Amino acid sequence: MEHAGVQPDRLLDNGSAPLPREALADQDLPGRPCPVAASMALIGEKWSMLALREVFLGNHRFNDIARNTGAPRDRLAARLRALEAAGILERREYSSAPARYSYHLTPAGKALSPVMRALVTWGNTWAVETPRMGLAHHDHELDPIEVCRTCGEQVDSRDTKVRVLVPGWDTAGPIEASETG
């Protein structure tokens, strides 16, 4: 299945969806060039994240996703199409008469798993009075933490440094021409 405007050699290995960055190629995002802005442009809308939550929970059919998100059906359909076009979800036909599709995570979608776990943890701590969903690993309560992949130490935000990799920008914002020369 080829997507309009996407070169076949830019597709994921399974050939079913463009990479998320390809979905952003034609967008001119204002402000600081950064991965947060690019990520939010793809998944940062309420119904998109709730649809992804449902697929992460194993609900793949449109009616189940609609019921569990409470999203208006037309808006949900648009968000699912956008997530598919972005290469985060893929649609699979499960019935041909009439045509019915289920939604599944692509490798890019599966890579959002730590984000979803972080949102559950943050939401239980800061957004609701009583936790409404828990995380478990091998039937043990899970409290996601960040660990340095090199030394194995737990990461503390006070020890994290941001490296700005875009020329002409630093952590304070755009660098004036007189500052660079």
Side-chain angles (χ1 to χ4, degrees), residues 9-29:
D9 63 333
R10 304 293 275 186
L11 298 177
L12 293 171
D13 292 340
N14 65 11
S16 65
L19 296 171
R21 65 182 161 265
E22 298 304 321
L24 283 174
D26 295 332
Q27 293 188 26
D28 185 24
L29 300 174

Side-chain angles (χ1 to χ4, degrees), residues 60-132:
H60 301 284
R61 295 184 177 182
F62 182 87
N63 286 338
D64 296 334
I65 296 169
R67 178 192 65 227
N68 294 342
T69 61
R73 294 176 78 79
D74 60 334
R75 190 165 298 163
L76 177 60
R79 296 309 179 262
L80 289 169
R81 279 192 304 273
L83 290 167
E84 182 186 7
I88 295 167
L89 290 178
E90 68 178 357
R91 228 170 39 139
R92 297 180 192 159
E93 187 174 27
Y94 68 86
S95 173
S96 59
R100 298 270 189 239
Y101 298 90
S102 58
Y103 296 89
H104 300 269
L105 298 166
T106 64
K110 290 174 185 173
L112 286 168
S113 182
V115 174
M116 198 61 68
R117 287 193 303 268
L119 285 171
V120 169
T121 301
W122 187 90
N124 279 339
T125 303
W126 300 102
V128 297
E129 292 206 19
T130 304
R132 299 182 181 170

